[in-house]
Amino acid sequence: MKMYQISDSTVLDNYVLAKELMRLANISTNGFRYWKECIAVKYYKSRVVYIHKEFVHPKYKHLVANCTKLDGLVQSAPFCRYTNLSSSHLTLSNRSNLLSVLEVKFVDGVKFVNLKKLLDRYGLTQENTIYIEKCKYFAPLEKKIPLTKSLCLGYY
């Protein structure tokens, strides 16, 4: 088994959540660690592991279709690091208007944000560097897109 670390802006298009796959296979959550030819990834400072769909053990490959599709998704903590956003904006109790702009999804207790959908909505690509902060902190000539009344998306 090979484990790699991925950047905070990497979307999980070709991966399945290891925890979900192990639950469906009815084996230990760390069972994939003993697979001979398995490629797994995780974000920096994260304990959540994702397995590449192509390298799931042949015995459990049929379960990949039952796993939640993670296309365009990024785990919430890496999303916050990537966009310089406080994680409190992704909780319902905060009553942040940003939740109406972002697509937040839960899978087996793990929170995800659809980064691809956000970038597509505003005509940006993953090559752009983005950040989210209060609009009043932007310089006059800085490129920004208003997301809510008080928050803007900056990019370059």
Side-chain angles (χ1 to χ4, degrees):
M1 198 251 349
K2 295 179 184 173
M3 178 77 73
Y4 298 102
Q5 183 175 308
I6 55 176
S7 71
D8 292 338
S9 63
T10 304
V11 293
L12 299 166
D13 289 353
N14 298 314
Y15 295 92
V16 293
L17 182 61
K19 182 180 176 182
E20 181 182 28
L21 181 64
M22 298 302 107
R23 180 179 49 77
L24 292 172
N26 203 22
I27 57 177
S28 167
T29 54
N30 288 322
F32 68 93
R33 293 186 186 273
Y34 301 102
W35 296 350
K36 203 174 196 180
E37 300 197 11
C38 177
I39 293 182
V41 298
K42 62 182 182 175
Y43 290 104
Y44 174 68
K45 288 188 175 181
S46 177
R47 296 174 68 196
V48 180
V49 178
Y50 307 93
I51 302 171
H52 197 285
K53 291 177 183 178
E54 302 276 324
F55 297 95
V56 172
H57 193 281
K59 184 177 178 181
Y60 305 108
K61 217 157 186 83
H62 69 281
L63 295 173
V64 170
N66 298 341
C67 291
T68 307
K69 292 193 184 331
L70 302 177
D71 297 348
L73 300 180
V74 175
Q75 194 176 329
S76 64
F79 175 81
C80 290
R81 279 194 304 269
Y82 175 59
T83 60
N84 199 30
L85 180 70
S86 172
S87 61
S88 64
H89 285 284
L90 299 180
T91 58
L92 286 173
S93 61
N94 187 13
R95 291 189 229 128
S96 174
N97 291 337
L98 192 58
L99 287 177
S100 63
V101 175
L102 299 175
E103 180 184 317
V104 178
K105 187 176 192 177
F106 285 90
V107 179
D108 269 74
V110 181
K111 189 188 295 187
F112 295 96
V113 177
N114 196 328
L115 177 62
K116 180 136 177 53
K117 197 172 192 177
L118 176 71
L119 294 174
D120 288 347
R121 178 183 293 161
Y122 297 108
L124 302 172
T125 64
Q126 281 197 285
E127 284 78 41
N128 291 104
T129 300
I130 63 170
Y131 52 98
I132 300 173
E133 62 181 54
K134 292 193 176 191
C135 297
K136 66 182 180 181
Y137 296 126
F138 279 84
L141 297 176
E142 212 169 349
K143 293 180 182 176
K144 66 180 178 181
I145 300 169
L147 297 175
T148 67
K149 204 175 194 180
S150 61
L151 293 174
C152 287
L153 173 80
Y155 64 96
Y156 54 91

